[in-house]
Amino acid sequence: MTHSPPPKSSMRRVRSALRTFLHQEASGGIVLIAAAVLAMIAANSDVAEGYFGLLHLVTGPVLVAALGPMTVHLWINDGLMAIFFLLVGLEIKREFVDGQLASWKRRRLPFIAAAAGMIAPALIYLAVAGGDPAVVRGWAIPAATDIAFAIGVLALLGSRAPPALKLFLTTVAIVDDMGAVAIIAVAYTDHINLLALVGAALVAAGMYALNRCGVRRLAPYLAGFVLLWFLVLLSGVHATIAGVVTAFLIPITTSPGAPDSAVSPLHRLEHGLHGTVAFLIVPLFGFANAGVSLVGTSLASLAEPLVLGITLGLFLGKQIGIFGSIVLAERLGIARRPGGASWLQIYGVALLAGIGFTMSLFIGGLAFPDDSDLVDKVKLGVLCGSILSGMTGYLVLRFAPRAKRVA
């Protein structure tokens, strides 16, 4: 439905969702880094047995036979992460309807960069690890960017990271998230329960009808989200997809040229979720999934095809795909690079996009759900690739000369 924007005075009272996003993602990224470090310490110390025991503690009934009894780890990965994906969906919808991706001209470069930044890492992974049929399913692991981690590193750079770079990285990561959601829905769904899927479609249709009828209270949509999550979980499609579907059905009030509308259901829900997701859900996921025991790990372990494929996919694939596509797009006249940023600074941001952490670990768990040994190797590869990308990107941006101002 079309809604007229509220008076500007009411909109000024609400901080822009994009500014809130950048601020909270930056702070949340730093918390996530701390959670990942804490997980590695726990997994390699005297409390390792308690750490892994807590993650596999049975805390619920059998919701789906394939998953077995619900554990702390499952509640985080299949439950809380659905809320993370709800926020991802809200950000995608807002940017497309009322933000930086509202026009095709603005979408062009982020789409090109994000697509190339997903294809190149996947190809490098397959070139390195594709010869082993047991690990081919992991091709999408290095294709995703962790925006919280990347923005967190940018925050450490302060004024040395121009606002245009932060905005560009955000929009590329949002488009990247769209690709990751599509990959999860298509590539990592093996068995479908058609009855549950039909039920999920009916719930989604009901929420769409609420939207069309002008229902703007969030409670009915949130109730629908919970029901949709359960039905999608039963269907065999990963339950987190319910978050994205719900987000696309939440009403939005557009407010072009002004801060986000104070009465828009989508904006209100997005503002309400940001803090919880940035400071609780994502760090919890990081703590639950980053812990890998390094006992027996050697330099030879880093050279194993799965580990090396992920590491090189994140570190080389992302920078080649994103930076190369931006250079090519500008030289061909398809799109212009972000204003106020030098080529070296853009290269630094392309390096930071190789921080795959949250999404990469998540996809790794989907790729090898029944093989803890392969999942541990995934974690090692993701950590190596993300640390290498983050440190190199930070150093490039830290010492890159600032772009010359055009008079």
Side-chain angles (χ1 to χ4, degrees):
M1 292 187 69
T2 302
H3 303 283
S4 59
K8 288 187 178 180
S9 59
S10 65
M11 291 188 292
R12 291 195 188 101
R13 289 195 295 268
V14 178
R15 188 181 187 186
S16 164
L18 182 58
R19 286 196 294 271
T20 299
F21 174 81
L22 289 172
H23 173 73
Q24 292 191 336
E25 286 296 315
S27 303
I30 294 171
V31 175
L32 175 57
I33 293 171
V37 171
L38 191 60
M40 287 297 296
I41 293 173
N44 293 278
S45 66
D46 293 339
V47 300
E49 185 176 348
Y51 168 74
F52 291 110
L54 174 63
L55 294 180
H56 296 98
L57 181 68
V58 175
T59 54
V62 176
L63 298 179
V64 181
L67 294 177
M70 295 299 288
T71 62
V72 171
H73 192 257
L74 283 175
W75 280 120
I76 292 172
N77 284 23
D78 291 64
L80 291 181
M81 285 300 283
I83 301 174
F84 166 79
F85 277 90
L86 172 60
L87 180 61
V88 167
L90 293 172
E91 290 161 357
I92 291 172
K93 180 173 180 177
R94 170 176 52 78
E95 288 301 315
F96 269 77
V97 175
D98 195 31
Q100 294 298 319
L101 300 174
S103 68
W104 280 109
K105 183 179 180 180
R106 288 180 171 181
R107 293 172 192 167
R108 195 177 301 148
L109 186 61
F111 263 84
I112 292 171
M118 297 187 82
I119 293 170
L123 292 177
I124 288 178
Y125 175 90
L126 290 173
V128 175
D132 184 352
V135 300
V136 168
R137 276 177 60 88
W139 63 269
I141 295 170
T145 294
D146 187 314
I147 187 169
F149 232 127
I151 293 294
V153 174
L154 275 181
L156 298 176
L157 290 159
S159 62
R160 300 200 67 85
L165 283 183
K166 296 176 184 177
L167 182 59
F168 177 71
L169 180 59
T170 301
T171 52
V172 169
I174 286 172
V175 178
D176 184 287
D177 284 342
M178 291 174 57
V181 169
I183 288 170
I184 291 168
V186 175
Y188 297 114
T189 299
D190 296 323
H191 306 289
I192 297 293
N193 180 330
L194 288 178
L195 185 60
L197 199 59
V198 169
L202 291 175
V203 172
M207 285 193 281
Y208 176 76
L210 290 174
N211 188 320
R212 299 298 297 173
C213 290
V215 175
R216 302 176 62 71
R217 291 179 60 245
L218 285 171
Y221 296 99
L222 295 179
F225 167 53
V226 174
L227 182 57
L228 185 64
W229 172 82
F230 179 66
L231 290 170
V232 172
L233 183 70
L234 291 179
S235 75
V237 178
H238 200 272
T240 52
I241 299 301
V244 179
V245 173
T246 300
F248 290 168
L249 298 170
I250 301 291
I252 181 173
T253 299
T254 58
S255 52
D260 304 302
S261 171
V263 297
S264 170
L266 185 143
H267 290 145
R268 286 190 286 115
L269 182 57
E270 188 180 6
H271 278 286
L273 287 178
H274 260 305
T276 301
V277 170
F279 298 110
L280 178 62
I281 292 176
V282 172
L284 265 178
F285 175 84
F287 181 74
N289 289 274
V292 56
S293 175
L294 298 179
V295 175
T297 301
S298 63
L299 290 177
S301 302
L302 302 180
E304 291 186 26
L306 177 58
V307 178
L308 189 62
I310 295 171
T311 301
L312 295 181
L314 286 170
F315 180 62
L316 294 181
K318 280 293 184 180
Q319 60 172 293
I320 291 171
I322 293 178
F323 185 71
S325 65
I326 296 171
V327 172
L328 191 61
E330 175 149 310
R331 290 189 175 177
L332 294 177
I334 298 173
R336 293 184 62 81
R337 72 179 188 266
S342 67
W343 278 116
L344 191 56
Q345 288 175 320
I346 292 172
Y347 176 62
V349 164
L351 282 166
L352 289 186
I355 302 175
F357 202 73
T358 304
M359 277 293 196
S360 293
L361 290 175
F362 189 78
I363 293 174
L366 298 180
F368 310 115
D370 302 316
D371 195 323
S372 59
D373 182 55
L374 289 182
V375 170
D376 282 345
K377 291 178 180 178
V378 166
K379 293 178 181 180
L380 188 59
V382 169
L383 288 171
C384 288
S386 296
I387 291 171
L388 195 56
S389 297
M391 292 181 64
T392 310
Y394 175 87
L395 290 174
V396 168
L397 288 168
R398 174 65 180 80
F399 296 105
R402 300 171 192 254
K404 294 180 180 179
R405 293 187 178 182
V406 179

